[in-house]
Amino acid sequence: MTARTHARTDRTSKAHLRLWLRLLKVNRSVEAELRERLRLEFGTTLPRFDVMSALYRNPKGMKMSELSRMLMVSNGNVTGIVDRLTEDGFMLREAVPGDRRAARVRLTQRGIAEFERQAAAHETWVSELLGGLGPEDTQRLADDLGTALTLPNAERDDA
Amino acid sequence: MTARTHARTDRTSKAHLRLWLRLLKVNRSVEAELRERLRLEFGTTLPRFDVMSALYRNPKGMKMSELSRMLMVSNGNVTGIVDRLTEDGFMLREAVPGDRRAARVRLTQRGIAEFERQAAAHETWVSELLGGLGPEDTQRLADDLGTALTLPNAERDDA
DNA sequence: GCTTAAAATTTCAGACTTGAAATATTCCAG
DNA sequence: CTGGAATATTTCAAGTCTGAAATTTTAAGC
């Protein structure tokens, strides 16, 4: 390791750090705004929206563990959110035929209808909040972010 | 509004949405990994690290409301985190001379020393996690993200 | 001086989140 | 078929987070 190598490494890690802080700020700003609007317009929260979104894309339902893995949150966390959404009549737990341990969760008709209203507004809001980026920059950013992660977390679920 | 305009608008908002989902995934992956490592290596959490980081950059201390604004979290949230960090001897509350409502919070010597250890590891980790990006991509991404937000949240605090 | 609005902070209830422990069930080697 | 590892989920304690209400102090107008 020469002094020159150290300098280059250090500069790169500083750049990575700067990028991370930017990313964090954009993320927090957008999330804060989305949270506020979901609360005011639909009386719901971001985690609830996320769960409903995952189930909307999987009409046949998902096991709790699948939900947990896709959303990258803990098992216990999903339990509580699904509990509350179930109380509200937006989803329900079904038994899995071959396995009495597992439960399959899916949206009710009411849940589907409600989510469609929310999703339409959500897409508009996101586009508004990221409005500073034209189509080309947006495309390029999305692509670059796809290659950003070193971890083996890049699953093919965003086709 | 012609059909053509609608199509272009729709395509752009879909691209924004795709970007937002990518950003969310990168953010969650990196945060999950950083949280895990902070817990295992230092027995601390991301929110605690964030508060200490803000105070490290402001050695003279910050008011609770300044902390809250900079970190984009609620006032009540900061209160609890500062309480616990104070119990641990990493920071302390001082009276503000001219204003008996306000309190200034700053790191203790022990807090400074502890944060410096954490920050060094943190920078290494972030760079490792974003290792898929070379210096040029990193720079460009950071710049693009800086122009992403439409909201008036882009303060000049990341020099 | 008095009153009232504004500002700084804390408190609070409720939701979200984690990691670990507890439960229940399935799978499998012997 | 039986004991134990593995899997699916829930429960739990503790911390994080929010938005609103309460508290305390300051500032401003009259």
Side-chain angles (χ1 to χ4, degrees), chain A residues 9 12 18 27 31-32 41 58-59 77-78 88 94 96 109-110 118 125 135-136 140 145:
Chain A
T9 299
T12 301
R18 196 157 34 236
N27 197 80
E31 278 199 347
E41 301 281 326
N58 292 273
N77 188 4
V78 175
D88 294 343
E94 291 175 322
V96 174
Q109 272 306 316
R110 193 163 148 243
Q118 297 176 3
W125 295 338
E136 309 79 12
R140 186 158 42 85
L145 280 176

Side-chain angles (χ1 to χ4, degrees), chain A residues 1-139:
Chain A
M1 298 281 270
T2 67
R4 186 140 177 229
T5 304
H6 268 118
R8 189 166 58 223
T9 299
D10 190 61
R11 246 186 299 139
T12 301
S13 82
K14 284 276 189 291
H16 281 144
L17 194 54
R18 196 157 34 236
L19 168 59
W20 171 239
L21 294 178
R22 279 285 169 90
L23 208 131
L24 216 45
K25 168 165 282 191
V26 171
N27 197 80
R28 282 185 189 180
S29 301
V30 174
E31 278 199 347
E33 195 63 27
L34 292 178
R35 187 190 319 118
E36 166 100 351
R37 296 187 187 190
L38 280 174
R39 181 176 61 86
L40 295 178
E41 301 281 326
F42 299 108
T44 191
T45 66
L46 227 22
R48 286 164 62 101
F49 179 84
D50 288 344
V51 168
M52 291 182 75
S53 176
L55 292 181
Y56 185 76
R57 292 200 257 177
N58 292 273
K60 295 179 179 173
M62 300 175 73
K63 289 193 296 182
M64 297 297 280
S65 47
E66 291 176 327
L67 262 177
S68 160
R69 200 175 333 113
M70 168 167 296
L71 301 177
M72 291 199 268
V73 299
S74 67
N75 276 340
N77 188 4
V78 175
T79 297
I81 297 172
V82 168
D83 282 351
R84 286 181 284 274
L85 283 168
T86 299
E87 284 172 21
D88 294 343
F90 293 137
M91 54 188 54
L92 45 82
R93 284 179 170 89
E94 291 175 322
V96 174
D99 190 340
R100 271 185 300 181
R101 295 168 301 179
R104 192 171 297 283
V105 188
R106 66 171 176 80
L107 291 181
T108 59
Q109 272 306 316
R110 193 163 148 243
I112 292 173
E114 178 62 15
F115 177 74
E116 284 175 346
R117 288 202 314 135
Q118 297 176 3
H122 177 266
E123 180 176 327
T124 303
W125 295 338
V126 168
S127 190
E128 177 187 336
L129 293 171
L130 297 181
L133 295 171
E136 309 79 12
D137 285 347
T138 301
Q139 174 78 43

Side-chain angles (χ1 to χ4, degrees), chain B residues 45 47 73-74 77 81 84 99-101:
Chain B
T45 65
V73 299
S74 66
N77 188 4
I81 297 171
R84 286 181 283 273
D99 191 340
R100 271 186 299 181
R101 293 169 301 182

Side-chain angles (χ1 to χ4, degrees), chain B:
Chain B
M1 297 282 270
T2 67
R4 188 146 175 220
T5 303
H6 268 117
R8 189 165 57 223
T9 299
D10 189 60
R11 246 187 298 140
T12 300
S13 82
K14 284 275 188 291
H16 281 147
L17 194 55
R18 197 157 32 234
L19 168 58
W20 170 240
L21 295 178
R22 279 284 169 89
L23 207 131
L24 215 46
K25 167 165 282 191
V26 171
N27 196 79
R28 282 184 189 181
S29 300
V30 174
E31 277 200 346
E33 194 63 28
L34 292 178
R35 186 192 319 120
E36 166 101 351
R37 295 186 186 188
L38 280 175
R39 181 175 63 87
L40 295 178
E41 301 280 327
F42 299 107
T44 192
T45 65
L46 228 21
R48 287 165 61 102
F49 179 83
D50 288 344
V51 168
M52 292 182 76
S53 176
L55 292 181
Y56 185 77
R57 293 200 257 177
N58 292 274
K60 296 177 180 173
M62 301 175 73
K63 291 195 293 183
M64 296 297 279
S65 46
E66 292 176 326
L67 262 176
S68 159
R69 199 173 336 111
M70 167 167 296
L71 302 177
M72 292 199 269
V73 299
S74 66
N75 277 339
N77 188 4
V78 175
T79 296
I81 297 171
V82 168
D83 282 352
R84 286 181 283 273
L85 283 168
T86 299
E87 285 172 18
D88 294 343
F90 292 137
M91 54 188 54
L92 46 80
R93 284 179 169 88
E94 291 175 321
V96 173
D99 191 340
R100 271 186 299 181
R101 293 169 301 182
R104 192 172 297 283
V105 189
R106 66 172 176 79
L107 291 181
T108 60
Q109 272 306 316
R110 192 160 150 247
I112 292 173
E114 178 62 15
F115 177 75
E116 284 174 346
R117 288 203 314 136
Q118 296 175 5
H122 177 266
E123 179 176 327
T124 302
W125 295 338
V126 167
S127 190
E128 177 187 336
L129 294 171
L130 297 181
L133 294 171
E136 310 78 15
D137 285 347
T138 302
Q139 174 78 42
R140 186 157 42 83
L141 261 168
D143 290 346
D144 285 352
L145 281 176
T147 69
L149 284 181
T150 299
L151 294 167
N153 297 6
E155 283 144 38
R156 285 297 150 270
D157 53 304
D158 47 357

